[in-house]
Amino acid sequence: MHKPKGDAITSLHDLSAVDLLAGYRAKQFSPSEVLEEIISQVATWEPHIKALYLYDPEGARKVAKTSTERWQQAEPAGTLDGVPATIKDNVATKGQPVPLGAASVKLAPAEKDAPPAARLREAGCVIFSKTTMPDYGMLSSGLSSFHPLTRNPWDVSKNPGGSSAGAGAAGAAGYGPLHLGTDIGGSVRLPANWCGLVALKPSLGRVPIDPPYVGRVAGPMTRTVDDAALMMSVLSRPDRRDGMSLPALEVNWKALEKSPRKLRIGLMLDAGSGQKVEKEVREVVVKAAKAFESAGAVITEINGILTPEILEGLDNFWRARTWDELSKLSQAERGKTLPYILNWAEAGAKLSGVDVVRGFNQTMAIRAAAAKLFCEVDYVISPVSPVVNFPAEFAAPLNDPAKPFEHICFTVPWNMSENPALSINGGYDKKGFPIGVQIIGRRFDDIGVLGMGKAFEGLRGPQKPWPAPPKK
């Protein structure tokens, strides 16, 4: 236990990375003590939520021990020395397989760390586990043909979202402060939304990644904006393996104080396509907009930039892309894929070349619409998801492979336009289930988006207590 401020007693596993580092510096506790609390927390929660893959407490104990020794000498090795972290299944870590959440993928040890994993390791993180994801990252769900079903700590009958499913569940369950996810259509923001976390989808190229792809980014999933910024200070360091990465930029990731005064904020309550926004989601987002307005921002309601044609085009493009991967497998291997994904992807075989190109071209339509929008506003506030939650066993809120992306219409545009977008807890439904708010900024304004998130933390006030493990 640790008593950081006032009379509040906080478990070590619940402390932010910022507070952990301050505690290490002051010799209040050690990385080894923190890791033991996390190991205990994992033992309590993991039978209920199944968030982890390749969990390695013994290997982590060795890393934490050497970190503890460095801190005893007041010689930390990096920005995050001794801070526990998890890494999503699809981010390669040296010597470990990368199953992509799919039983159809052949398991082979990765030759080296992918850039985000390398940066966290160099910074001294105690990487104690990988986290789960659905097949090929093409679901916002904890459902997978390879991993056990991952559940949401806030309500284990509900889905944590995905595709960074395990990262979201681990963050909410108190498996330490730092979790690395990836996002190509909402995959860090959606689980953060349903798990009460903060997640940044950075501008494309801000965090080098390998392999890179259209709209694909890696980003932090944390409990606080300060921790997300701290993680970004490490993840954004350059790596030549990513041919889409941005030039190294001197950003003071700690400079998060930002006043909303006189900022033009667009309030987007209709994505232009997809599922209807549920009443409780709408109320939380409107309340967030009013909080910014009370702080001096100018709020204007705006239309979404997605259309049903754009959404259908993206769907066709991704079906064809996934079928391309699955078509290379034998029929037996392909049959191991989650039936929902196989069903969805098989339609890609019937698309013409023109259909697929037309689908890909929708990414450019989104980009043009986003650029036009941000001529008029400084930031956008919107829901992250249109729905409060959905069953753990579902592949998606509608659970219909014919309509797979109706729930990502608020998140996917910003992948294709390359804008930074943050998910942050905005409130709760009547049963206490978390509901996120999304803050989007202009391309490359990652620090501004984090600053707006930090301002919102102050306007929103403290969150509810984190969930307690179910009684056995």
Side-chain angles (χ1 to χ4, degrees):
M1 296 289 198
H2 173 59
K3 192 174 177 183
K5 289 172 191 156
D7 296 319
I9 293 180
T10 308
S11 298
L12 294 179
H13 65 77
D14 276 332
L15 287 183
S16 70
V18 171
D19 283 343
L20 286 180
L21 291 165
Y24 297 160
R25 208 168 285 117
K27 294 186 166 57
Q28 291 176 309
F29 46 77
S30 71
S32 291
E33 290 171 296
V34 171
L35 180 65
E36 289 308 317
E37 276 218 17
I38 288 171
I39 289 169
S40 173
Q41 189 75 350
V42 168
T44 306
W45 263 115
E46 193 59 8
H48 304 287
I49 62 172
K50 306 282 196 244
L52 302 183
Y53 170 58
L54 298 180
Y55 175 47
D56 181 16
E58 290 312 311
R61 281 183 169 122
K62 291 174 188 168
V63 176
K65 183 173 182 287
T66 57
S67 175
T68 294
E69 289 163 359
R70 288 194 295 270
W71 278 107
Q72 284 167 349
Q73 303 299 318
E75 293 176 352
T79 308
L80 299 172
D81 200 347
V83 179
T86 70
I87 293 176
K88 188 176 175 180
D89 153 349
N90 66 341
V91 178
T93 43
K94 186 178 179 180
Q96 296 179 316
V98 187
L100 307 177
S104 50
V105 171
K106 289 176 184 163
L107 299 183
E111 288 183 17
K112 55 180 72 171
D113 285 342
R119 296 298 87 76
L120 292 176
R121 212 183 294 279
E122 290 160 6
C125 276
V126 179
I127 299 165
F128 64 92
S129 189
K130 303 294 285 284
T131 52
T132 63
M133 64 182 282
D135 293 47
Y136 301 99
M138 292 312 295
L139 294 178
S140 185
S141 173
L143 194 61
S144 160
S145 64
F146 179 82
H147 300 295
L149 179 65
T150 303
R151 295 175 178 272
N152 193 315
W154 288 94
D155 179 345
V156 293
S157 74
K158 301 301 181 190
N159 211 294
S163 62
S164 306
Y175 293 8
L178 304 182
H179 306 277
L180 178 77
T182 63
D183 190 315
I184 200 170
S187 290
V188 298
R189 289 160 291 159
L190 287 161
N193 160 74
W194 287 309
C195 294
L197 303 176
V198 171
L200 177 69
K201 181 213 79 70
S203 301
L204 187 81
R206 178 70 70 218
V207 173
I209 192 166
D210 182 30
Y213 197 73
V214 177
R216 182 171 185 253
V217 300
M221 298 174 69
T222 62
R223 288 182 171 187
T224 67
V225 174
D226 281 341
D227 273 6
L230 178 64
M231 218 169 158
M232 282 298 294
S233 73
V234 169
L235 294 172
S236 61
R237 290 171 187 166
D239 193 300
R240 287 180 180 155
R241 285 177 284 173
D242 182 354
M244 297 165 79
S245 64
L246 299 173
L249 187 66
E250 288 304 314
V251 174
N252 180 1
W253 292 99
K254 289 183 180 177
L256 294 181
E257 298 309 320
K258 189 176 182 76
S259 169
R261 187 168 167 73
K262 294 190 176 176
L263 288 175
R264 301 169 301 166
I265 297 179
L267 173 60
M268 185 185 288
L269 295 169
D270 183 344
S273 189
Q275 285 175 263
K276 191 172 184 291
V277 175
E278 292 178 357
K279 183 171 178 281
E280 286 179 295
V281 173
R282 184 187 175 93
E283 286 170 353
V284 164
V285 176
V286 168
K287 188 178 177 185
K290 285 181 175 170
F292 277 115
E293 191 171 44
S294 72
V298 179
I299 307 291
T300 308
E301 200 159 334
I302 58 171
N303 296 322
I305 62 172
L306 221 57
T307 65
E309 294 74 29
I310 289 175
L311 190 62
E312 184 185 1
L314 289 179
D315 186 9
N316 284 342
F317 167 49
W318 276 337
R319 283 179 199 252
R321 174 179 173 248
T322 307
W323 180 250
D324 175 46
E325 293 297 318
L326 293 175
S327 68
K328 295 169 188 170
L329 304 176
S330 70
Q331 198 165 349
E333 288 169 330
R334 200 158 54 238
K336 295 176 184 176
T337 310
L338 198 69
Y340 180 102
I341 288 288
L342 191 55
N343 227 351
W344 167 75
E346 277 177 332
K350 301 182 181 74
L351 295 167
S352 72
V354 172
D355 290 333
V356 178
V357 170
R358 193 173 286 145
F360 178 79
N361 283 345
Q362 299 300 346
T363 65
M364 303 312 291
I366 293 172
R367 196 186 191 99
K372 185 179 177 187
L373 172 62
F374 277 95
C375 290
E376 307 299 324
V377 298
D378 300 307
Y379 295 95
V380 170
I381 291 176
S382 82
V384 184
S385 159
V387 303
V388 174
N389 54 39
F390 63 105
E393 297 78 9
F394 278 20
L398 292 180
N399 209 31
D400 179 359
K403 294 181 177 178
F405 299 132
E406 305 293 304
H407 63 292
I408 68 169
C409 294
F410 285 104
T411 51
V412 72
W414 318 116
N415 294 81
M416 301 306 135
S417 66
E418 304 182 9
N419 293 60
L422 184 83
S423 175
I424 183 167
N425 178 250
Y428 304 84
D429 76 351
K430 290 182 182 69
K431 294 179 180 174
F433 195 88
I435 297 171
V437 171
Q438 186 173 217
I439 301 169
I440 306 109
R442 292 192 180 97
R443 282 177 78 213
F444 314 132
D445 186 22
D446 302 69
I447 193 72
V449 166
L450 286 165
M452 290 293 282
K454 178 80 171 169
F456 180 65
E457 277 180 335
L459 294 166
R460 178 201 66 198
Q463 288 181 253
K464 288 190 176 183
W466 292 93
K471 292 181 174 64
K472 290 178 184 175

